[in-house]
């Protein structure tokens, strides 16, 4: 779609990529986290995982639908039809979605006040700030692979791109496997990763542990499979496994914030989550651009190395965030002072379960 728009409108493909990424990050995560956290406090990780599977399903349905519409109705009409479908499904969520009245909400100040958008307590919370940096690196690394996977498959000879992007069925080369299926496979298997990670996060009561494990495995895949995949079968296996791990990495951030936020700041959960996505969106734009520059200068293999290195650093940051969070919990139990959040005699001691709700067992 971006290539077609580039030809029709004259915009650069990376400009269109940036606009789409900003819109999708802000739009979809306003649907995934706020409602599930409020309505399912005890099973919020499972609820968020189930909700996020819509992104994986859409990653299969919408590209195939778009190719069919373009082939039968042309690009402008096909794009209008697809946009109407997306707007209609979003409207359903807008009409039916409602906040839970049992959960207290903070009073929102004037729109131009900095405190309305930014909670300074979050900036002083070290586990949270480390986690935000880690999530930003996750998005920058994963989208680098997702944006280049079809080109990678063509360069490596694992598949061929249609000579007509509209979906006429004509192919170039000897292989009958089309390159767009590699990205479709990644989107499809992400559903497995989203559900599985939610189950493990609920069982462990710590989504960041699951997040760290999946980023480490994904970094190994990027380091060794992307440059050295020997054949079509290995490339398909890479996309299937990396897609499942990617589904986990992309669906867990909001749950990680729910785990990290102190009990006394629960009314600011939406604010902390919004601050995270604002920071993440910037690096999600920059990461693929860096990967593209490395590809042009050094070749396609550098995309895999870039992603692997990014996710490996992410693993370290996530482990550090877990350590600091547990250290804070130990300090509260033993009565030691915590610099960021001093306690008073009237304050309610935070839950030691790691959840965002006092006395809640996830």
């Amino acid at each position: 779609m971006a290539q077609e728009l580039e030809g029709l409108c004259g915009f650069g493909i990376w400009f269109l990529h940036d606009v789409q990424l900003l819109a999708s990050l802000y739009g979809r995560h306003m649907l995934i986290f706020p409602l599930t956290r409020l309505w399912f406090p005890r099973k919020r990780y499972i609820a968020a995982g189930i909700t996020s599977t819509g992104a994986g399903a859409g990653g299969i349905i919408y590209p195939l639908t778009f190719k069919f519409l373009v082939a039968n109705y042309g690009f402008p009409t096909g794009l209008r039809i697809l946009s109407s479908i997306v707007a209609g499904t979003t409207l359903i969520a807008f009409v039916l979605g409602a906040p839970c009245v049992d959960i207290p909400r903070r009073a929102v100040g004037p729109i131009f006040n900095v405190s309305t958008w930014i909670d300074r307590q979050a900036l002083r919370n070290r586990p949270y700030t480390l986690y935000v940096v880690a999530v930003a690196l996750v998005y920058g690394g994963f989208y680098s692979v997702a944006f280049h996977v079809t080109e990678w498959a063509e360069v490596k000879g694992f598949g061929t791109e249609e000579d007509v992007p509209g979906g006429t069925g004509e192919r170039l080369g000897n292989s009958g496997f089309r390159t767009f299926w590699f990205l479709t496979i990644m989107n499809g298997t992400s559903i497995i990763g989203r559900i599985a990670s939610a189950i493990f996060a609920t069982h462990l009561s710590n989504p960041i542990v699951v997040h760290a494990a999946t980023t480490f495995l994904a970094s190994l895949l990027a380091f060794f499979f992307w440059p050295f995949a020997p054949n079509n079968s290995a490339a398909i296996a890479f996309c299937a496994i990396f897609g499942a791990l990617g589904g986990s990495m992309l669906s867990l951030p909001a749950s990680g914030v729910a785990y990290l936020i102190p009990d006394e700041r629960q009314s600011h959960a939406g604010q902390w989550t919004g601050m995270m996505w604002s920071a993440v969106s910037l690096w999600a734009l920059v990461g693929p651009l860096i990967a593209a520059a490395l590809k042009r200068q050094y070749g396609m293999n550098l995309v895999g190395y870039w992603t692997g290195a990014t996710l490996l650093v992410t693993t370290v940051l996530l482990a550090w965030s877990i350590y600091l969070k547990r250290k804070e919990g130990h300090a509260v139990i033993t009565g030691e002072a915590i610099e960021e959040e001093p306690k008073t005699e009237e304050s309610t001691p935070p839950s030691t379960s790691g959840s965002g709700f006092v006395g809640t067992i996830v």
Side-chain angles (χ1 to χ4, degrees):
M1 185 187 297
Q3 291 172 345
E4 291 279 358
L5 286 171
E6 182 184 20
L8 289 175
C9 307
F11 295 121
I13 190 170
W14 286 106
F15 171 79
L16 297 169
H17 161 262
D18 293 349
V19 171
Q20 186 271 339
L21 197 57
L22 277 173
S24 65
L25 276 174
Y26 282 108
R28 68 182 177 180
H29 292 296
M30 283 192 292
L31 293 174
I32 291 175
F33 178 70
L35 293 181
T36 55
R37 185 191 73 86
L38 295 176
W39 285 105
F40 306 98
R42 293 180 179 273
K43 299 292 183 181
R44 60 189 182 279
Y45 302 149
I46 289 288
I50 293 174
T51 305
S52 69
T53 58
I60 300 172
I61 297 171
Y62 283 137
L64 298 178
T65 302
F66 182 68
K67 294 179 72 66
F68 170 80
L69 292 173
V70 170
N72 288 274
Y73 303 103
F75 179 80
T77 303
L79 183 58
R80 293 188 189 101
I81 296 174
L82 184 66
S83 300
S84 300
I85 294 173
V86 174
T89 54
T90 306
L91 182 62
I92 294 174
F94 177 78
V95 172
L96 298 182
C100 180
V101 296
D102 296 331
I103 302 297
R105 289 181 287 176
R106 69 183 180 94
V108 179
I111 190 171
F112 294 109
N113 279 10
V114 175
S115 59
T116 302
W117 304 96
I118 297 176
D119 185 5
R120 291 182 176 84
Q121 289 292 330
L123 301 178
R124 291 194 289 266
N125 187 291
R126 286 175 293 176
Y128 171 79
T129 53
L130 283 172
Y131 189 67
V132 169
V133 175
V135 173
L137 293 176
V138 164
Y139 272 76
F142 178 81
Y143 278 132
S144 297
V145 166
F147 194 83
H148 290 94
V149 67
T150 55
E151 184 183 357
W152 168 76
E154 186 176 16
V155 168
K156 295 286 188 177
F158 302 140
T160 54
E161 188 175 4
E162 296 170 315
D163 61 347
V164 179
T168 61
E170 300 179 33
R171 305 185 183 98
L172 294 173
N174 298 321
S175 173
F177 198 87
R178 304 185 209 176
T179 54
F180 77 85
W181 283 112
F182 288 93
L183 183 58
T184 303
I185 289 171
M186 287 181 60
N187 288 327
T189 57
S190 72
I191 298 175
I192 301 173
R194 294 169 192 272
I195 294 294
S197 62
I199 293 173
F200 281 113
T202 300
H203 178 71
L204 297 174
S205 297
N206 190 336
I208 306 182
V209 170
V210 182
H211 211 170
T214 54
T215 53
F216 178 70
L217 293 176
S219 70
L220 296 181
L221 279 176
F223 271 129
F224 297 108
F225 268 76
W226 182 274
F228 306 117
N231 50 45
N232 182 278
S233 298
I236 293 174
F238 165 79
C239 290
I241 300 173
F242 194 82
L245 295 173
S248 172
M249 291 187 293
L250 300 185
S251 65
L252 284 173
S255 298
V257 174
Y259 170 79
L260 290 174
I261 187 170
D263 293 319
E264 63 271 16
R265 307 302 293 177
Q266 277 300 311
S267 60
H268 294 258
Q271 192 178 27
W272 285 42
T273 308
M275 291 168 58
M276 177 187 68
W277 290 128
S278 297
V280 168
S281 63
L282 299 176
W283 186 250
L285 302 180
V286 174
L289 293 176
I290 295 175
L294 292 173
K295 180 199 69 176
R296 285 194 298 268
Q297 186 71 24
Y298 303 105
M300 182 61 72
N301 287 347
L302 262 293
V303 175
Y305 295 140
W306 161 256
T307 297
T310 299
L311 296 179
L312 195 59
V313 173
T314 298
T315 304
V316 175
L317 292 176
L318 291 173
W320 194 0
S321 178
I322 294 170
Y323 168 76
L324 291 178
K325 176 65 175 177
R326 291 181 174 175
K327 185 178 179 181
E328 281 187 0
H330 175 73
V332 170
I333 293 173
T334 57
E336 298 175 12
I338 299 178
E339 180 181 350
E340 300 95 302
E341 296 162 7
K343 306 300 178 189
T344 63
E345 293 183 358
E346 288 92 16
S347 63
T348 303
S351 169
T352 59
S353 65
S355 70
F357 295 83
V358 176
T360 299
I361 300 178
V362 179

